[in-house]
Amino acid sequence: MVREDISAQQWNDYFERRVFVSDAEARSEFLASQEKRKVKYVLLSSEAAKKSLAVAAAEVQKLLSDPAKAAVLKSRFEAQKETAYKGKTFEQVKDALARDMLASERFSDAQKKSETVAEQIKGLLAAEKGSDAKVNAALKAGGFEGVEVKTSEWFTRESPFVPGVGEANQLVRDAFAKTSPLAAGQGGKAAKYLTAGGTVVAVLADAQKADPSKFDAERDQLIRRIATRKQNELFQGWMEGLVKKASVDPNPAVVGEDS
């Protein structure tokens, strides 16, 4: 056990001795973790886009009169009757299910509508609160009921996620970039982004700068954090090198001549 402990310590020391963290790196890490942004945004999800499509009552009745499609709707109801449709009967929700199916079949139409509305509100959305009513009115007129302007919580440049939006790498980069439209801050221009969650229109709402006076108090912790990250990267690179150099000498007596 003592041998193993000493070996493990020497192993860790080997990587520690090969890592150096400069003051500039620590300061850069400090700025990255302390600078924060908030964005005002509208998220047009694919689900909201589907719901925005107008579906005529005659189309709904036609779908329900088709035995095959009615059976599909019934199976969807059965799958969710204890969750989304708890306490309801199939008769009560069949029209809504039919509308959803028809909207799903028009996915490309929903995408086009989402793009059209996104372009419209991109010209309306601004950091000032006065723009919210105009954007919300445009969303309602476009059939996006329940969708409205929101403001995210604080996020840092290190995070690929924007609270309320989800993964939005380009939006995060633009929020911290000096030359992007969003960087103008109050009065900046809104921009459109395609994310996994849907189409997002956003504008920078607020910015928080790092407080340089706090750097000295956090310097040692930052250096340890960077050093640990560098050691892990060094170890991973070392392991990848071993894997590339490794080869397998098959034993024909075990795996056969053709293996």
Side-chain angles (χ1 to χ4, degrees):
M1 289 175 64
V2 172
R3 285 179 184 276
E4 289 178 1
D5 286 345
I6 294 173
S7 295
Q9 185 58 52
Q10 289 179 340
W11 175 259
N12 290 331
D13 291 345
Y14 172 83
F15 288 100
E16 285 180 9
R17 287 194 298 270
R18 282 156 178 77
V19 166
F20 171 75
V21 180
S22 68
D23 237 34
E25 287 178 293
R27 196 172 292 278
S28 177
E29 183 90 358
F30 172 77
L31 292 175
S33 61
Q34 294 297 314
E35 280 192 311
K36 297 178 181 180
R37 300 288 188 268
K38 279 185 179 182
V39 292
K40 185 186 283 188
Y41 70 91
V42 172
L43 173 60
L44 302 175
S45 67
S46 55
E47 193 63 30
K50 284 194 300 181
K51 290 180 179 178
S52 72
L53 293 176
V55 178
E59 294 178 275
V60 172
Q61 294 307 313
K62 183 179 179 181
L63 187 147
L64 291 170
S65 64
D66 184 327
K69 291 187 175 181
V72 172
L73 295 180
K74 192 72 180 286
S75 66
R76 290 183 183 180
F77 169 76
E78 290 295 330
Q80 300 181 74
K81 68 179 181 181
E82 295 301 323
T83 53
Y85 304 120
K86 191 170 184 178
K88 297 180 180 179
T89 65
F90 177 67
E91 288 298 316
Q92 290 174 311
V93 300
K94 66 180 183 180
D95 283 13
L97 284 166
R99 289 178 184 278
D100 185 63
M101 178 183 279
L102 287 166
S104 296
E105 291 173 351
R106 302 172 184 173
F107 183 67
S108 61
D109 292 339
Q111 283 184 311
K112 289 176 183 177
K113 185 168 186 181
S114 185
E115 284 297 304
T116 300
V117 174
E119 285 295 331
Q120 182 183 1
I121 63 175
K122 190 173 76 169
L124 298 173
L125 185 64
E128 293 78 11
K129 190 172 179 61
S131 72
D132 295 8
K134 294 178 182 178
V135 175
N136 290 336
L139 288 166
K140 188 173 182 180
F144 284 84
E145 294 286 344
V147 181
E148 59 184 9
V149 178
K150 295 182 179 180
T151 301
S152 74
E153 296 298 322
W154 292 108
F155 59 91
T156 68
R157 68 171 74 239
E158 297 174 319
S159 173
F161 299 95
V162 173
V165 174
E167 187 170 356
N169 290 286
Q170 189 59 54
L171 172 53
V172 172
R173 284 194 289 270
D174 285 354
F176 287 91
K178 293 180 180 179
T179 56
S180 76
L182 298 186
Q186 298 295 324
K189 295 180 180 178
K192 183 179 68 174
Y193 301 89
L194 296 179
T195 71
T199 302
V200 178
V201 179
V203 66
L204 192 64
D206 203 356
Q208 177 179 296
K209 294 183 178 180
D211 183 354
S213 66
K214 295 181 179 179
F215 173 70
D216 289 339
E218 298 186 25
R219 179 180 176 278
D220 292 343
Q221 183 180 348
L222 289 165
I223 287 176
R224 286 195 297 271
R225 187 166 74 192
I226 299 169
T228 299
R229 186 169 66 235
K230 283 189 171 186
Q231 288 167 31
N232 290 336
E233 291 171 356
L234 186 61
F235 174 73
Q236 290 299 325
W238 183 80
M239 287 295 294
E240 288 172 7
L242 285 182
V243 171
K244 288 178 182 178
K245 292 178 182 177
S247 61
V248 177
D249 186 12
N251 184 348
V254 178
V255 300
E257 294 287 347
D258 300 329
S259 300

